[in-house]
Structures are given as C-alpha cells and as structure tokens.
C-alpha cells in the first residue's frame, strides 16, 4: 500500500481492520491461524501537534462573534469537546441553573442515497433528491465519554444569548423550522452537517489570520490549557472523556509541554534546590505590570483579594494584589482600591464574586482605544453627550473595556430599538479606520432590522 502512495497511517489502519476480521474467523474455526498476525504493520510516527496560543485563541473567538453559532467555537477551544459531541448537544443537555453541560451523544456524518433512482448522474451526496439513510446521532462509545462538564460563567452567558438568537431565527423561519432541540443548528433548525462545520472552522482560521490547523487541534489546545492550569489528572480525564485505563496515554498525546509549562517547572526546581524567593520580573511586551515571580516555596493557605470598586480579584501573592490595587486606584481616583487577606478555604467556599480561580500571575493592562456611536431606527445619528472616541487604560478582568487585539468591532440593537456601533483596540489608527465601517453597518441595521434578524417581519 505504501508503495502505491498510501500513508503509513492508512496501511496501519488497514492491517488492524484485516487482523480483527480474521481473528473473528479464527474464533469461528474457519481458520486455524490468523495470517495477518504474521505480517508486521508499518510504524506510525505521530506528528507533534502545536496547540494554539492564548493570543491565537482570543483572535479566533473575536472573529467568531461576527457570525452564527459563536458558542460552538468557544466550547471547542475552552472545553475540548469533540466535533461530534458539540454538534450532538441538545438544550436538554444544558443545565443553566447548575452551569453544567452533559455530553451523552455524538453527531454522525450523513450517509446519502439517490432519491432519483440514480438518474441524475451525480454522486449520492450531490443528488438533488438525496436521502439520508443514517441516523443523526449515536450515544457515546464509552462510559467515560458520557460526562458532565462545568461551564465558565462567560460561556454560560454566551449560551443564554445563543438561545435567544435561536428563538429569533425560529420566528423568522416560521413553518420552515424543524424543531429537534439541538443547540447548534442551521437557520431552519436542522443539526449542523460535520462537513459544513469543518469548512466553517477553516473559514474562521483565515478570517482571524491564524495559522491553518485541524479542527481537532482545538481539543489539543483545551487539554494543554488544563495542563498549564495544573488541573488534577482525574479531573482532566473526566473533562476530556478519557477512559481510566487509557488516560495516561491520552494525556501524553494531547497535553503538550509548552514554553509556559517549562518555565513554571524550572521555577519550581529553582525554588527547591536554591530556595529562590520572590524577585521582580521584567515587563512583558504585552503591557503586563511588573511583579514578583512565582516560587515553589510559596505558602498557599492565604488569598490576597484586591477590592477594586465593586470587583474582587483574588491573588496568590500579596505583591500582585497591592500592585494591581495601586495602579487601578490611580486609573480610577473616584473609587476605592484596597487589599484584604482571606483564608483560602473561605474564599473558595464563600467567594461572593464568583471568581474562585486564584491568579498566580499579573493580569495584563493595556491602553485601549474606543469609538462609539448610536443610531435611531431610521438610521439618524443620536448624540448623547458622550465623546465619539476616547482611550482608557484597561485590565484583562475589565471585559467591557479590555482587548489585546489591534481592533475589533460589532453592532448591537438595544432594547429601545437603537443600534449601537462599538469599536475598540490597542491600535489607534486601526480603530479610527474601522469606525466608519462599523457606523455604516449600524445605519444599515437600523434601517433594515429584518436583514439582521432583529425583528419578525412576517
């Protein structure tokens, strides 16, 4: 097979299939020995997958907000669900109160037959009257595959918005809508085709100007993030859906030792052998505020909470909390900023701000440029006494102000039917260049609400 151009992986898979079939013949006593066991299958060298970086993930998610089914890509990159598991999700599997997704089925690729009696001269999948002869989904193959997964708060909010958008699509489709209960659907309610979903992923990579990669690489990315965060192996296995007997091999395959993991490991070794304490670090190009480096000898019984107005941000190191409180207080002189020490267990159990994840590094802070405009339903500009463009220092936890992208923009319809254009980015020239385009779309959206699914025009 390899001599005819097949890859080692294809030859290996063929050998395994033939060997399994002939083993069945041996068990039924049609054969005395399995001849395939004599042949040696080719060795398959697995290529090392490079997971997407945090910056690449953020660019992908920013681009995903411009189209349908944004939450589909967030689930892939944040939770690592397989393609079939995401496309097989139904609303009955989403518990908004508990904040959990239950994975229990996978979407199958359609298998078509001619509906024209093979008269069209095309392949079955391209027949105008094609018939899908395969069921849409099947249950997970293993018990480990059927699993509950906790959702981050932001993903929970995104899914709620996605459900509202789906309700608007249902109203627009009217009699064309096919109600099957899927979370991610076509504009008429049908489950997404895996092949179409794959091409949407490729389009997303191009639009976000991110290097090409497989859709399954998003799963590698999510697994590597869990490694960086130090999530216990048993929890990783549960999230990823790996069987206990195979989990160690799967972790070796999916969790990639990135530069950040190597740096953290080196810091721990240094702390153990030389007792290196907290020391200042150099500022990063991204604009992070200088602060102390992590030490393996740090006692983690206390949490240092920076009270920033109405926000509470927990830190592992007091130096981080005090630095952030000082800088944030300078940026917001009309608000209080102070640091309070909490018992770690108390914080994890009683945290009033739902931010139980404790930071062990400095958050990013950037100067973000903004542009904003509001338009009435007919497209007329509404002046509200607010500057059209401005800039403000923003921290990564201030999600309503922060971005690390050169520019991003979107338009939204307010409850009062006004349409808002918002542009923000760290590149002032890019923000100024994108603002007219955002305003043009906002005017068009204000004049043609049905075009954007904002109202029911039927």
């Amino acid at each position: 097979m390899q001599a005819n151009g097949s890859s080692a992986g294809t030859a290996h898979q063929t050998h395994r299939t033939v060997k399994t079939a002939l083993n069945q013949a041996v068990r039924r006593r049609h054969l005395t020995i399995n001849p395939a066991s004599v042949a040696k299958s080719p060795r398959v060298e697995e290529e090392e997958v490079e997971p997407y970086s945090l910056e690449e993930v953020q660019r992908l998610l920013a681009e995903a907000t411009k189209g349908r089914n944004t939450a589909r890509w967030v689930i892939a990159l944040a939770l690592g669900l397989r393609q079939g598991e995401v496309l097989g999700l139904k609303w009955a599997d989403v518990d908004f109160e508990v904040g959990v997704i239950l994975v229990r089925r996978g979407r199958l690729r359609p298998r078509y037959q001619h509906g024209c009696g093979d008269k069209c001269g095309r392949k079955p999948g391209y027949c105008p009257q094609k018939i899908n002869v395969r069921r849409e989904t099947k249950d997970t193959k293993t018990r480990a595959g059927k699993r509950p997964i906790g959702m981050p708060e932001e993903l929970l909010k995104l899914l709620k918005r996605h459900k509202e958008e789906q309700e608007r699509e249902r109203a627009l489709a009217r009699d064309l809508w096919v109600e099957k209960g899927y979370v991610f659907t076509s504009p008429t309610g049908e489950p997404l085709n895996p092949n179409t979903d794959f091409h949407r992923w490729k389009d997303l990579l191009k639009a976000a100007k991110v290097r090409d990669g497989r859709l399954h690489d998003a799963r590698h990315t999510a697994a590597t993030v869990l490694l960086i965060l130090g999530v216990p192996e048993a929890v990783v296995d549960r999230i990823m859906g790996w069987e206990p007997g195979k989990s160690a091999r799967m972790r070796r395959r999916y969790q990639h030792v990135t530069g950040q993991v190597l740096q953290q490991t080196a810091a721990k070794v240094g702390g153990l052998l030389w007792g290196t304490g907290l020391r200042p670090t150099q500022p990063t190009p991204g604009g992070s505020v200088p602060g102390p480096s992590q030490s393996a000898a740090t006692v983690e019984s206390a949490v240092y909470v920076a009270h920033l107005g109405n926000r509470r941000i927990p830190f592992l190191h007091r130096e981080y909390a005090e630095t952030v409180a000082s800088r944030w207080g300078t940026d917001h002189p009309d608000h209080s900023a102070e640091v309070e020490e909490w018992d770690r267990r108390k914080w994890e159990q009683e945290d009033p701000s739902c931010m139980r994840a404790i930071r062990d590094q400095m958050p990013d802070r950037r100067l973000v440029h903004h542009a904003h405009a509001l338009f009435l339903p007919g497209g007329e500009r509404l002046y509200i006494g607010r500057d059209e463009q401005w800039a403000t220092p923003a921290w990564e936890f201030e999600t309503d102000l922060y971005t690390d992208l050169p520019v991003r923009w979107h338009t939204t319809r307010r409850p009062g039917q006004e349409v808002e254009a918002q542009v923000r980015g760290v590149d002032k020239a890019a923000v100024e260049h994108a603002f007219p385009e955002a305003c043009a779309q906002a005017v068009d959206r204000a004049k043609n609400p049905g075009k954007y699914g904002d109202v029911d025009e039927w």
Side-chain angles (χ1 to χ4, degrees):
M1 291 183 65
Q2 289 180 279
N4 292 330
S6 298
S7 66
T10 300
H12 182 90
Q13 181 66 28
T14 302
H15 177 267
R16 188 170 64 176
T17 303
V18 171
K19 186 177 180 180
T20 300
L22 294 180
N23 276 337
Q24 185 68 21
V26 172
R27 281 192 292 270
R28 296 181 180 182
R29 298 184 180 181
H30 298 309
L31 296 174
T32 55
I33 62 171
N34 185 344
S37 62
V38 179
K40 186 178 180 180
S41 62
R43 182 176 180 179
V44 179
E45 297 289 344
E46 290 188 1
E47 295 183 5
E48 179 66 18
V49 176
E50 181 184 357
Y52 290 108
S53 66
L54 178 59
E55 180 183 359
E56 288 174 321
V57 171
Q58 290 173 336
R59 286 163 61 185
L60 285 169
L61 297 182
E63 187 64 33
T65 60
K66 300 177 183 178
R68 296 181 68 253
N69 296 323
T70 302
R72 184 263 176 272
W73 309 114
V74 177
I75 289 177
L77 291 163
L79 303 182
L81 268 66
R82 302 173 180 89
Q83 182 193 38
E85 292 173 340
V86 178
L87 302 188
L89 281 176
K90 295 191 175 184
W91 288 115
D93 305 323
V94 182
D95 191 327
F96 287 106
E97 293 186 4
V98 181
V100 167
I101 289 176
L102 178 59
V103 179
R104 48 187 170 187
R105 74 182 69 80
R107 173 82 165 100
L108 295 174
R109 291 183 177 275
R111 182 177 295 163
Y112 296 110
Q113 287 185 356
H114 283 282
C116 64
D118 201 6
K119 297 177 181 179
C120 64
R122 304 178 183 179
K123 293 181 179 180
Y126 296 94
C127 174
Q129 303 176 40
K130 62 185 178 184
I131 302 172
N132 182 16
V133 295
R134 198 179 208 178
R135 55 181 176 167
E136 292 176 348
T137 63
K138 69 173 182 179
D139 293 341
T140 56
K141 292 187 293 185
T142 64
R143 291 180 61 186
K146 185 176 181 179
R147 62 201 186 276
I149 301 178
M151 290 184 289
E153 185 67 24
E154 290 302 318
L155 176 54
L156 191 63
K157 295 178 182 177
L158 190 60
L159 276 175
K160 289 180 179 178
R161 290 200 298 270
H162 174 72
K163 193 170 186 179
E164 294 172 357
E165 292 170 2
Q166 193 178 88
E167 291 295 333
R168 287 196 291 269
E169 289 186 343
R170 180 186 287 105
L172 287 172
R174 296 179 68 86
D175 295 342
L176 296 177
W177 185 268
V178 180
E179 183 54 64
K180 296 184 177 180
Y182 287 99
V183 175
F184 302 110
T185 70
S186 71
T188 57
E190 293 285 352
L192 293 179
N193 188 311
N195 187 51
T196 303
D197 181 68
F198 169 78
H199 289 295
R200 292 289 178 271
W201 166 255
K202 292 295 186 179
D203 293 341
L204 181 63
L205 293 177
K206 291 179 182 178
K209 297 181 180 179
V210 171
R211 57 185 169 84
D212 190 32
R214 306 172 306 164
L215 177 53
H216 203 67
D217 290 352
R219 183 166 167 82
H220 285 258
T221 300
T224 302
V225 169
L226 297 176
L227 172 63
I228 294 173
L229 295 176
V231 177
E233 292 182 353
V235 179
V236 172
D237 296 345
R238 191 68 181 271
I239 293 174
M240 301 300 292
W242 293 330
E243 293 183 79
K246 302 178 181 178
S247 57
R249 179 175 64 85
M250 298 304 289
R251 282 195 296 272
R252 286 196 302 271
R253 182 178 177 184
Y254 279 83
Q255 293 189 318
H256 306 274
V257 182
T258 62
Q260 184 173 355
V261 176
L262 294 175
Q263 292 170 5
Q264 291 176 353
T265 303
K268 291 178 181 179
V269 172
L272 179 64
L273 298 182
W274 294 283
T276 51
L278 300 175
R279 63 184 185 278
T281 59
Q282 296 298 320
T284 63
S288 296
V289 180
S293 64
Q294 185 177 358
S295 168
T298 302
V299 178
E300 299 184 359
S301 61
V303 176
Y304 303 97
V305 182
H307 291 258
L308 313 175
N310 295 325
R311 284 190 177 90
R312 292 183 175 88
I313 313 297
F315 291 93
L316 187 62
H317 306 296
R318 176 181 286 276
E319 290 86 348
Y320 289 158
E322 291 177 345
T323 302
V324 172
S326 174
R327 292 290 297 273
W328 191 90
T330 302
D331 295 338
H332 305 79
D334 298 333
H335 297 80
S336 62
E338 57 184 4
V339 175
E340 186 176 285
E341 183 175 335
W342 282 52
D343 176 81
R344 187 186 184 99
R345 181 172 298 178
K346 176 184 176 183
W347 173 265
E348 292 175 344
Q349 294 178 352
E350 303 179 17
D351 161 34
S353 60
C354 299
M355 292 189 62
R356 292 181 173 81
I358 300 170
R359 294 172 176 263
D360 64 351
Q361 59 183 4
M362 288 297 301
D364 189 30
R365 176 182 179 273
R366 299 170 187 264
L367 182 67
V368 181
H369 301 274
H370 294 257
H372 171 271
L374 200 62
F375 298 88
L376 294 172
E380 181 183 355
R381 179 77 174 269
L382 178 63
Y383 294 92
I384 55 176
R386 177 178 175 181
D387 292 340
E388 182 180 86
Q389 299 190 30
W390 75 97
T392 184
W395 298 80
E396 66 178 59
F397 49 76
E398 297 175 316
T399 55
D400 54 335
L401 297 173
Y402 174 87
T403 182
D404 64 348
L405 299 176
V407 65
R408 60 181 299 186
W409 64 270
H410 67 277
T411 62
T412 56
R413 180 171 291 276
R414 288 185 168 186
Q417 298 303 306
E418 299 92 355
V419 176
E420 186 176 26
Q422 289 192 7
V423 186
R424 55 179 170 170
V426 296
D427 187 331
K428 183 179 180 181
V431 171
E432 292 176 344
H433 180 74
F435 188 43
E437 184 179 358
C439 289
Q441 186 187 93
V443 170
D444 184 55
R445 186 168 184 170
K447 293 180 178 179
N448 306 286
K451 179 179 177 181
Y452 296 86
D454 292 336
V455 297
D456 185 357
E457 292 192 330
W458 296 83

